[in-house]
Amino acid sequence: MAHIFIFSPSSAVRDKAAFRRGLKRLKAQGHEVEVDESALDTHMRFAGDDATRIAAITRAAASGADVALISRGGYGLTRVLPALPYKQIAKAIDGGTQFVGLSDFTAFNQAVFAKTGRISWQGPALGEDFGAEKEPDDIMQACFDDLLLEQGEGTGWQLPKAEAERRVLVKDAPLWGGNLTVLTSLLGTPYFPQIKGGVLFLEDVGEHPYRVERMLTQLLHAGVLAQQKAVLMGQFSKYKLVPAHDKGFKLTTVIDWLRSQIKAPVLTGLPFGHVETKVLLPVGAKVDLVTEGRDALMVWGHI
């Protein structure tokens, strides 16, 4: 049984039914679930005004919980990054609290690593993952359980056949990344980690491939991509092509273009993003990455 603290650092919770289902499922698993006092607050599109959400993050850091889990993503963290209680967050992480989330939470992950060097996690959200109408995805649940049991030390996935020819071996590289849109918005700020020789993972939702390419181009021209040992492409979901206009331009076009621009391997198929099947990824941890045929394995050891 774990102590899980639920808080809302970004957008307001609109799907209250999913929120309640998520709480019920976590409690049914035997966990002690603590809900922050402002988790369901609303201020315009946000889960409370900036001060309210900063206070929620501060309470999450002071909760002593095993996991501080976001209710949902959306938008709102980038505007409060200067005011985050970094010392308290670092102290909480040192004391064993694992901060977990995705999407807009990418801003928290990068800022905490840039400012404190501490590891936080890209992973599920309460409503989207534990509160779905059907049962939570088995892989996501198993990865979350491993985190709670302090047993998760890596992840693996299968590459497309076209990527089986090149063997990749990366050792002792910092893992970082998350949502491409949020990550790119941090470029040029103090909250964008300056990582050389890293493994960068990316995902996004609702972004047409040309927008994905445009953001990758910004990272490329800023010199970020050339400094990485590998780029892992997660799931880019819920976008619509316009055949009459795109005329064959699609996500694979973007991947092929990216490979032509950098020397580092670009691997696809990482099970992470705004999809049901997602692994948990420690932002800031040192990882080893190896491929053998179609099998990709990333190991970070005990955290």
Side-chain angles (χ1 to χ4, degrees):
M1 184 181 76
H3 176 194
I4 301 174
F5 186 89
I6 306 297
F7 68 115
S8 300
S10 300
S11 285
V13 174
R14 302 301 186 196
D15 191 343
K16 304 296 196 304
F19 185 91
R20 291 190 295 269
R21 282 194 299 267
L23 295 179
K24 184 177 180 180
R25 284 189 177 123
L26 289 175
K27 290 177 180 178
Q29 293 171 15
H31 303 305
E32 175 193 350
V33 182
E34 180 182 359
V35 179
D36 182 68
E37 63 188 57
S38 64
L40 294 177
D41 279 13
T42 299
H43 174 73
M44 294 187 287
R45 68 178 298 113
F46 307 106
D49 60 18
D50 291 353
T52 296
R53 289 180 293 111
I54 292 166
I57 295 169
T58 303
R59 287 190 293 270
S63 68
D66 299 298
V67 169
L69 179 69
I70 67 168
S71 63
R72 62 160 297 184
Y75 170 67
L77 268 165
T78 51
R79 59 190 277 159
V80 301
L81 292 181
L84 291 192
Y86 291 103
K87 289 183 179 179
Q88 294 97 312
I89 292 169
K91 183 178 179 181
I93 293 172
D94 291 345
T97 298
Q98 308 281 15
F99 287 83
V100 180
L102 79 163
S103 193
D104 192 53
F105 200 65
T106 298
F108 178 97
N109 297 126
Q110 311 315 310
V112 166
F113 187 59
K115 291 294 186 180
T116 74
R118 299 317 196 271
I119 295 168
S120 58
W121 294 77
Q122 283 270 301
L126 177 73
E128 177 178 329
D129 295 291
F130 293 102
E133 291 188 5
K134 59 182 181 180
E135 290 298 310
D137 178 80
D138 289 343
I139 292 176
M140 183 281 295
Q141 183 69 62
C143 291
F144 188 73
D145 291 343
D146 282 346
L147 176 65
L148 298 179
L149 296 170
E150 299 184 356
Q151 294 179 347
E153 298 187 353
T155 191
W157 71 100
Q158 191 170 68
L159 302 167
K161 291 181 180 179
E163 296 176 25
E165 296 179 0
R166 180 179 181 181
R167 189 171 189 271
V168 175
L169 178 61
V170 174
K171 297 188 71 66
D172 204 31
L175 177 68
W176 68 299
N179 181 267
L180 176 59
T181 299
V182 178
L183 183 75
T184 306
S185 75
L186 299 176
L187 193 63
T189 75
Y191 313 107
F192 190 91
Q194 301 301 308
I195 295 180
K196 295 182 179 180
V199 173
L200 173 64
F201 68 93
L202 301 167
E203 62 83 22
D204 220 316
V205 59
E207 297 290 352
H208 188 285
Y210 85 82
R211 295 186 184 128
V212 172
E213 183 176 292
R214 183 165 59 196
M215 288 182 281
L216 290 171
T217 301
Q218 186 173 355
L219 294 176
L220 176 70
H221 294 336
V224 174
L225 299 182
Q227 295 178 338
Q228 307 311 309
K229 290 184 178 179
V231 177
L232 309 181
M233 304 298 282
Q235 305 305 300
F236 290 75
S237 56
K238 298 181 181 179
Y239 62 84
K240 291 184 178 180
L241 297 175
V242 186
H245 187 67
D246 292 320
K247 295 189 179 299
F249 183 90
K250 51 190 176 181
L251 189 60
T252 54
T253 310
V254 176
I255 302 298
D256 291 341
W257 167 83
L258 179 59
R259 288 182 175 133
S260 74
Q261 300 298 307
I262 61 176
K263 295 180 180 179
V266 179
L267 304 180
T268 66
L270 178 70
F272 187 78
H274 289 68
V275 290
E276 294 177 6
T277 301
K278 60 168 66 74
V279 296
L280 274 73
L281 299 168
V283 174
K286 292 291 186 70
V287 301
D288 292 343
L289 172 68
V290 62
T291 66
E292 189 68 50
R294 294 184 63 187
D295 295 324
L297 178 65
M298 186 161 58
V299 178
W300 49 80
H302 182 70
I303 296 176

